[in-house]
Amino acid sequence: SGDLGTWLETVAWESGPEHWHGETDVSVLLGRVPTFYGLWFVYSGGTLLLGALRWPVGTRVALGTALLYSLLLCTIDHTPTHYFVPLVQLTALASACSADSLRSATARHGVAGAAVTGLLIFWLRGEILA
């Protein structure tokens, strides 16, 4: 269609300048990390810790994927909630995998309930914004 050049310019902009605006100071970039991970913890309703209770394969895959993805996001100069949607879902999945590996049915239901509650808090508070 003749639009490849425009498309490549858009990808180049979205891959760097739009998210970091030329910031290269390591102290500034690293200063954003605690805020990012704090927001993830809040948006997931604390289920980030629940996913760490046990480490079956599903938990390792889900949390590992989320943590790798988070490394791409944690130094960006803005943190709209839609950046956290995949992280919150992966965290809930990790929590569900951890819950499934627990021997006690009560513990499984409690962990799964907490994970669902975290997702509901995120959704019901209207936190999923552009």
Side-chain angles (χ1 to χ4, degrees):
S1 67
D3 292 325
L4 180 60
T6 303
W7 182 80
L8 290 173
E9 288 174 17
T10 301
V11 169
W13 168 256
E14 290 289 338
S15 300
E18 197 273 327
H19 294 103
W20 290 274
H21 295 97
E23 182 63 67
T24 58
D25 184 339
V26 175
S27 64
V28 171
L29 295 173
L30 292 178
R32 298 172 181 164
V33 173
T35 300
F36 176 86
Y37 285 102
L39 285 171
W40 180 12
F41 181 81
V42 169
Y43 291 154
S44 70
T47 57
L48 187 57
L49 295 179
L50 294 175
L53 287 176
R54 302 270 309 216
W55 291 92
V57 173
T59 299
R60 291 192 305 266
V61 170
L63 278 185
T65 301
L67 288 170
L68 284 174
Y69 177 57
S70 75
L71 293 175
L72 295 171
L73 300 174
C74 69
T75 60
I76 292 176
D77 64 2
H78 56 282
T79 52
T81 53
H82 70 266
Y83 287 4
F84 293 91
V85 172
L87 296 174
V88 168
Q89 292 173 339
L90 285 166
T91 303
L93 176 62
S95 296
C97 291
S98 291
D100 189 55
S101 73
L102 298 172
R103 293 177 191 217
S104 161
T106 303
R108 282 195 307 273
H109 292 118
V111 171
V116 170
T117 300
L119 288 172
L120 285 173
I121 290 168
F122 190 74
W123 178 59
L124 293 174
R125 287 188 57 205
E127 295 291 350
I128 303 174
L129 306 170

